[in-house]
Amino acid sequence: MKYQEKKYRVDSFTKIWRILEEAGAKKKSKVLSTHYYAQQEGNNIIKLVQYENKNEIHLLQESQGKYSLKEKIPVETTDAGLKRLKDEGYKAVEVVKMVNTDYEYKGGIVGLYLINNFLHSVILDFPEGHHETLEKEFGLETAEVISVPYNKYLEQIGKLQSIKLK
């Protein structure tokens, strides 16, 4: 079964936390990470993700505002990952810091993401065709859908930080 992520901007997580808690959703873990998005055209994503204990390059493919993870490539260090992106021809990366808590829910994942300490976002990671039902359940029908990568969204609202690869 093919899973896809769909992202929403919300004002707070309070309502969604309450629904998850009442349903007994299992909290997976809280993750702190820094994402270095390779600057490129289009909405497909190539990024280095720096976690507390590992680094990976993630390749995601976009289809109608939803994202599917195609590949994870482990790299030894953040510097090694940035070098790899540079060696692949990328000149700059856009930096996005995330704190997220994922919950197992009805065969998928509900992720609550705080982006760059100000942007509240919910990610529904479910099989194709399930997103609309969950939107209604969580009251996300009127929430802004973020149909571009977070780096491009931050750029649209004037809050993006980028660094040149050396």
Side-chain angles (χ1 to χ4, degrees), residues 84-146:
R84 182 175 176 148
L85 292 174
K86 182 178 185 211
D87 291 347
E88 290 178 12
Y90 296 103
K91 308 245 185 276
V93 290
E94 297 161 338
V95 184
V96 179
K97 295 178 187 256
M98 299 184 190
V99 178
N100 70 287
T101 305
D102 288 344
Y103 293 84
E104 293 178 5
Y105 187 74
K106 296 187 176 182
I109 301 292
V110 176
L112 306 180
Y113 283 70
L114 182 61
I115 309 296
N116 286 0
N117 294 316
F118 79 92
L119 175 66
H120 292 77
S121 180
V122 176
I123 295 181
L124 300 179
D125 189 10
F126 284 84
E128 199 169 354
H130 288 77
H131 296 90
E132 290 71 21
T133 301
L134 291 159
E135 284 174 3
K136 289 182 181 118
E137 190 171 334
F138 289 110
L140 296 170
E141 309 99 295
T142 59
E144 178 183 357
V145 174
I146 301 174

Side-chain angles (χ1 to χ4, degrees), residues 53-71:
N53 60 350
K54 66 181 177 179
N55 293 277
E56 298 172 333
I57 292 178
H58 292 183
L59 308 175
L60 291 96
Q61 187 171 14
E62 184 264 347
S63 174
Q64 298 177 349
K66 297 175 187 162
Y67 292 84
S68 301
L69 181 64
K70 294 298 177 193
E71 189 175 359

Side-chain angles (χ1 to χ4, degrees), residues 69-87:
L69 181 64
K70 294 298 177 193
E71 189 175 359
K72 283 185 185 181
I73 304 164
V75 290
E76 284 201 30
T77 63
T78 302
D79 286 341
L82 291 171
K83 181 182 181 321
R84 182 175 176 148
L85 292 174
K86 182 178 185 211
D87 291 347

